[in-house]
Amino acid sequence: MAATKKPAPKKTTASKPKPAAKKKTNRTFGEKVKWFFIKLFLWFFGLSIGSVIIFKYVPVPFTPLMVIRAIENKLGGKEVYFDHDWEPIEKISMNLQKAVIASEDGTFLYHNGFDFKALQKAYKSNERGRRIRGGSTISQQTAKNVFLWQGKSYFRKGLEAYFTVLIEIIWGKQRIMEVYLNSIEMGDGVYGAYAATEHWYRRDASSLTAMQAAGIAAILPNPRKFKATGSSSYINRRKERIVREMRAVGKINYNAK
């Protein structure tokens, strides 16, 4: 008798587990706006600190004011004149360093970026309707010149305070002075100590006399209006006062604090 064949077992195919459905995140408009500003703040924070660190070691090639002045002259049909060369602080006359401290910020070597007494004095002066006074320190002016635009809005002043704190912490006083003397406007289209000493006195920045340095410092409130040579009686009086105050500055020690 023939043996009966058993039916072959049926192949069973194991069913693959279905991938878990991705959860849809439906953010509200308010949440999107919030995350946008958080990302914007983080980018600004990173870029601002990064740029301050870079300019601690790298010369500042140009400033927003230089660009603005060039655009103004171009639109006004004037010659676009631009003179700016970087000069290490070791090659900048100590007389010029003393002169800008004497004229612009007498407590520069000792404050932490802000001179609150000068700010209070400026506020009272402006409140009485006298000539507008700024009260800004060299550190504040440097922060504004290198990283920001000109203006008097509270938003810009807030950014100025932020960058002032950063450069005081990261750069230190000597670097702040070096950048300041290489970036500020010292004549019409003239920026920095190297260009200014060549423009006004036809000499290099290391060889300025006390009176010549005072001449450059004296015109800083409005360097496109005033002249360091062939000056008005007002600027000549400022020069004499600055020379007297330079003696009080004494020897400069950038690690005085």
Side-chain angles (χ1 to χ4, degrees):
M1 187 174 176
T4 57
K5 290 182 179 180
K6 291 183 180 179
K10 292 182 179 180
K11 291 181 179 180
T12 57
T13 55
S15 58
K16 294 180 180 179
K18 293 181 179 180
K22 292 182 179 179
K23 292 182 179 179
K24 293 183 178 180
T25 56
N26 294 321
R27 289 179 180 171
T28 65
F29 177 74
E31 288 175 329
K32 289 179 180 179
V33 171
K34 182 184 75 173
W35 280 106
F36 170 78
F37 280 106
I38 289 174
K39 289 178 181 178
L40 187 66
F41 172 78
L42 291 175
W43 271 103
F44 170 75
F45 191 68
L47 289 172
S48 60
I49 292 178
S51 61
V52 172
I53 291 173
I54 288 170
F55 287 137
K56 177 179 173 66
Y57 306 102
V58 177
V60 179
F62 60 88
T63 67
L65 179 62
M66 296 176 192
V67 177
I68 291 168
R69 292 286 191 245
I71 293 172
E72 287 175 349
N73 288 340
K74 187 70 175 178
L75 294 176
K78 300 177 182 178
E79 181 185 358
V80 180
Y81 176 77
F82 180 87
D83 192 2
H84 175 240
D85 291 285
W86 186 270
E87 189 82 333
I89 196 167
E90 294 80 13
K91 294 184 178 180
I92 298 177
S93 169
M94 190 59 70
N95 282 326
L96 185 57
Q97 296 176 52
K98 287 183 179 182
V100 295
I101 290 174
S103 65
E104 297 292 300
D105 185 3
T107 61
F108 171 70
L109 297 171
Y110 309 102
H111 62 59
N112 293 308
F114 307 93
D115 186 345
F116 294 105
K117 288 183 178 179
L119 287 171
Q120 188 177 24
K121 188 176 179 181
Y123 174 77
K124 288 181 178 178
S125 178
N126 298 338
E127 199 176 38
R128 295 190 188 107
R130 295 178 181 173
R131 185 173 60 86
I132 298 296
R133 299 182 55 167
S136 294
T137 63
I138 285 175
S139 302
Q140 288 175 273
Q141 292 179 47
T142 306
K144 177 186 68 177
N145 286 338
V146 175
F147 300 104
L148 301 170
W149 62 96
Q150 302 295 308
K152 295 181 180 179
S153 68
Y154 288 112
F155 176 67
R156 195 203 62 77
K157 292 297 286 185
L159 289 176
E160 179 186 300
Y162 167 73
F163 278 105
T164 298
V165 171
L166 284 186
I167 64 175
E168 280 281 339
I169 293 171
I170 297 173
W171 288 1
K173 294 295 186 183
Q174 184 167 335
R175 180 60 175 176
I176 291 172
M177 177 61 77
E178 183 175 43
V179 174
Y180 176 78
L181 290 176
N182 275 286
S183 62
I184 57 172
E185 192 174 29
M186 293 179 167
D188 192 5
V190 180
Y191 301 93
Y194 181 93
T197 52
E198 172 65 26
H199 176 78
W200 292 115
Y201 301 113
R202 297 291 184 266
R203 60 194 310 168
D204 62 85
S206 63
S207 60
L208 287 174
T209 66
M211 184 58 74
Q212 289 170 339
I216 292 175
I219 67 172
L220 294 184
N222 195 336
R224 294 199 297 171
K225 177 183 176 182
F226 300 126
K227 295 181 179 180
T229 57
S231 311
S232 64
S233 57
Y234 167 71
I235 294 299
N236 286 332
R237 288 194 300 272
R238 277 183 59 83
K239 289 181 189 179
E240 292 168 2
R241 178 180 60 80
I242 290 170
V243 169
R244 289 195 301 270
E245 293 180 0
M246 285 169 65
R247 300 188 189 105
V249 172
K251 185 178 179 180
I252 293 179
N253 177 12
Y254 288 112
N255 299 311
K257 287 195 300 181

